[in-house]
Amino acid sequence: MKETAALLKKLGLKETNSGVFCGEWLGSGPVLKSVSPIDGKVIAKVRQATPAEFEKTVCRAQAAFQKWQTLPAPKRGEIIRQLGNALRDSKKDLGRLVTLEAGKILAEGEGEVQEMIDICDFAVGLSRQLYGLTIASERANHRMMEQWHPLGVVGIISAFNFPVAVWAWNSVLAAVCGDSTIWKPSEVTPLTAIATIKIAEKVCRANKVDPAIFSLTIGNRQSVGERLVSDKRVALISATGSTRMGRAIGEVVMRRLGKVLLELGGNNAIIVAPSADVKLATRATLFGAVGTAGQRCTSTRRLFVHESLVDEVTRQLITAYKQVPIGNPLDSKTLMGPLIHLESVETMQSAIKQLKKEGGEVLYGGEVLKGKNFPGGRYVTPCIAKAKGDFQIVHEETFAPILYIISYKSLEEVVAQHNAVPQGLSSAIFTNDVREAEYFLSTRGSDCGIANVNIGTSGAEIGGAFGGEKDTGGGRESGSDSWKNYMRRQTVTINYGRDLPLAQGIQFGDAV
């Protein structure tokens, strides 16, 4: 407890914390307890937003946007550069808090903060590359071009499994684009959000800019979530979470003709082809399926193995699974920590029952761990199961470490099974046959937003746009040209001649 108290103090946190930031710290709503999945104990408390405080946050974010959008983009980028450096200084402490609150192992906690640092670096370069286009006009003495302007207030809704990185993917790109942001973090991980915003606040104040460009409102769906997505003053809602949540948010935002960016569920698969490097495929599958206790949207959930290799791959995976150290994620030797909720454990057990009901077989794991080394009831052994591609449970995303192994005969057959699920986030094939790799990447191949060859489904870099198709929502966050989500496009035509020709050769007479 003393170590936890010292960590909270270093990050500017107290026993009870204000859960609203809009240039000032507020929070007079119901008290929320942050419970660590490591042992089920309360870390600290947070006072959530009231309706009046939410309203004040939106107003302050609007006012901050009006000033921030006029600051030249490279100067906005300089502030984000300083934010990246501030996150570097707090990497170990903030990463440890991610572990304490979300249950990730220490390496993944610090890795998540590194993602924030990396996206800050990306955004700094982007601040000098917000390019438009010059377009050839069909009319003489005319010039056409497109330019991009700041969008406005951006609402960010993040999930527990990446409690800070998803905020950074959205907020720092939005910031260099000239927007202000309002963050609604998961109610399960409020302390990491408060600590992150405190770091951003210091950077903003040091540069004499309104820190309300990085606003925060902690609250439940009724007090904050529904208000945020239905507010016409919020130009874009970027939401990360379940498909069910995304459908509800999308309907509300589209009803008011707002913009929405959805990054939702994944049911990600690896295909192990006959020519694959089996050792490489096994290592990638182990991290993809067991990392973050199977609670990443990019976690590997389905493993299609060619019938000639299925026995060998299964044997190697079971051997590897038996060697995974499970326990307190604050221990540097641990590779798999707890599930986030007791409900998550129940969901995992329910999925295993459904698997058996459909004719599947558990080959290893799936037990709930008990005893003094596994307090709180959230620890399980990762599960390997034998299944078929058309099982109903295989088509569902169970946010837990269950890996379904499915044998296949031909590439065309396995790609069809791969694409048959509702989700379309991340995918991979392990092969040393260039024709198989190219088929998998072709229009007839993977239908996912991410398609990899000889690397797993998990661990995307920030330089590429992140997201997927179908029930994954179609949104793209992080790198590439995803910055366009946070700006409004404007097509401009300039007539520098003395005539007024119309497009498409239309003649309208000489009445004037």
Side-chain angles (χ1 to χ4, degrees):
M1 291 299 292
K2 288 183 179 179
E3 288 184 5
T4 298
L7 176 67
L8 296 180
K9 186 176 181 180
K10 286 180 72 175
L11 291 168
L13 300 173
K14 304 174 184 177
E15 185 176 336
T16 301
N17 302 273
S18 299
V20 181
F21 182 72
C22 56
E24 59 182 316
W25 286 96
L26 305 170
S28 54
V31 172
L32 174 67
K33 295 178 180 178
S34 174
V35 176
S36 176
I38 296 173
D39 55 13
K41 295 180 180 179
V42 175
I43 307 169
K45 301 174 184 177
V46 175
R47 284 206 168 273
Q48 301 175 83
T50 64
E53 288 164 344
F54 173 80
E55 175 64 23
K56 185 171 186 178
T57 301
V58 177
C59 291
R60 289 292 299 272
Q62 275 191 305
F65 165 68
Q66 294 301 327
K67 295 179 182 178
W68 181 248
Q69 69 173 330
T70 64
L71 192 68
K75 293 188 176 181
R76 299 194 294 256
E78 166 58 20
I79 293 169
I80 297 303
R81 184 190 68 80
Q82 294 177 36
L83 175 60
N85 286 340
L87 290 169
R88 282 182 174 89
D89 294 339
S90 297
K91 179 178 175 179
K92 292 191 78 68
D93 293 332
L94 189 54
R96 191 174 184 87
L97 183 60
V98 168
T99 293
L100 190 64
E101 197 170 38
K104 290 186 172 186
I105 62 173
L106 281 171
E108 289 189 276
E110 289 189 23
E112 181 165 350
V113 181
Q114 186 62 50
E115 283 194 53
M116 301 172 75
I117 295 165
D118 291 345
I119 198 66
C120 284
D121 289 349
F122 180 92
V124 174
L126 176 64
S127 69
R128 293 179 181 270
Q129 300 178 76
L130 301 174
Y131 300 138
L133 298 173
T134 298
I135 306 162
S137 175
E138 67 182 66
R139 291 172 284 187
N141 301 321
H142 283 61
R143 178 165 66 87
M144 287 180 64
M145 68 180 200
E146 70 175 28
Q147 58 187 8
W148 297 84
H149 291 303
L151 185 63
V153 179
V154 173
I156 302 168
I157 300 173
S158 61
F160 78 87
N161 58 336
F162 282 88
V164 291
V166 169
W167 170 80
W169 290 356
N170 287 275
S171 65
V172 300
L173 294 192
V176 297
C177 289
D179 303 327
S180 62
T181 58
I182 300 174
W183 183 16
K184 182 199 177 302
S186 168
E187 296 159 72
V188 181
T189 53
L191 300 178
T192 51
I194 294 171
T196 300
I197 292 298
K198 284 183 176 291
I199 293 169
E201 177 192 7
K202 288 180 182 178
V203 172
C204 289
R205 293 199 187 283
N207 285 275
K208 296 182 172 54
V209 297
D210 190 339
I213 59 173
F214 297 119
S215 293
L216 174 72
T217 52
I218 294 173
N220 61 26
R221 180 170 59 87
Q222 291 79 18
S223 64
V224 172
E226 292 177 353
R227 295 174 186 273
L228 184 64
V229 300
S230 62
D231 199 312
K232 290 185 177 181
R233 295 169 294 180
V234 181
L236 168 69
I237 295 290
S238 177
T240 302
S242 69
T243 297
R244 184 181 64 174
M245 179 207 73
R247 289 189 195 282
I249 288 174
E251 288 177 7
V252 173
V253 177
M254 292 306 293
R255 196 176 300 129
R256 64 176 174 86
L257 299 182
K259 294 182 68 176
V260 65
L261 191 166
L262 299 175
E263 198 283 289
L264 310 174
N267 193 352
N268 316 291
I270 290 176
I271 297 171
V272 182
S275 66
D277 181 328
V278 172
K279 186 177 180 180
L280 197 66
T282 303
R283 287 175 58 197
T285 302
L286 180 68
F287 174 73
V290 176
T292 324
Q295 297 173 118
R296 289 175 175 240
C297 52
T298 54
S299 290
T300 306
R301 310 203 182 280
R302 299 174 294 148
L303 183 66
F304 294 97
V305 187
H306 190 265
E307 59 184 4
S308 64
L309 295 176
V310 68
D311 290 341
E312 179 184 356
V313 170
T314 301
R315 184 169 54 251
Q316 288 196 21
L317 277 172
I318 290 174
T319 300
Y321 268 50
K322 288 179 178 179
Q323 298 175 29
V324 172
I326 303 168
N328 189 328
L330 291 170
D331 183 340
S332 60
K333 296 178 182 178
T334 297
L335 289 183
M336 185 176 133
L339 296 180
I340 191 71
H341 297 294
L342 291 173
E343 293 85 350
S344 300
V345 177
E346 294 173 4
T347 299
M348 179 178 178
Q349 297 307 305
S350 177
I352 291 172
K353 289 179 182 177
Q354 178 66 24
L355 166 80
K356 293 177 179 178
K357 184 178 178 181
E358 293 189 59
E361 178 186 358
V362 172
L363 303 176
Y364 176 80
E367 303 93 353
V368 180
L369 297 171
K370 299 179 181 178
K372 65 177 183 179
N373 293 327
F374 307 107
R378 294 172 170 87
Y379 294 85
V380 298
T381 53
C383 179
I384 299 175
K386 183 179 180 180
K388 293 184 178 179
D390 59 357
F391 284 2
Q392 179 184 336
I393 191 63
V394 171
H395 284 232
E396 298 175 7
E397 180 191 32
T398 302
F399 228 56
I402 302 177
L403 178 69
Y404 303 110
I405 297 183
I406 303 160
S407 178
Y408 80 91
K409 294 180 182 293
S410 70
L411 184 62
E412 291 79 7
E413 167 207 339
V414 73
V415 169
Q417 286 192 62
H418 173 281
N419 292 349
V421 298
Q423 309 86 359
L425 179 52
S426 187
S427 61
I429 188 170
F430 279 78
T431 179
N432 286 319
D433 185 327
V434 68
R435 289 170 296 186
E436 289 182 321
E438 290 295 339
Y439 183 91
F440 182 73
L441 298 177
S442 74
T443 186
R444 294 177 295 166
S446 169
D447 64 355
C448 294
I450 299 169
N452 298 327
V453 177
N454 293 333
I455 62 171
T457 63
S458 200
E461 297 181 36
I462 58 90
F466 182 87
E469 304 303 323
K470 301 188 296 187
D471 279 6
T472 301
R476 295 296 188 274
E477 298 172 312
S478 190
S480 186
D481 66 348
S482 61
W483 60 271
K484 294 179 179 179
N485 289 306
Y486 309 98
M487 304 197 82
R488 58 182 176 89
R489 186 197 309 249
Q490 187 175 74
T491 301
V492 177
T493 305
I494 301 167
N495 178 2
Y496 56 91
R498 297 186 181 278
D499 297 318
L500 192 65
L502 299 178
Q504 292 85 47
I506 295 173
Q507 300 296 322
F508 200 62
D510 299 316
V512 178

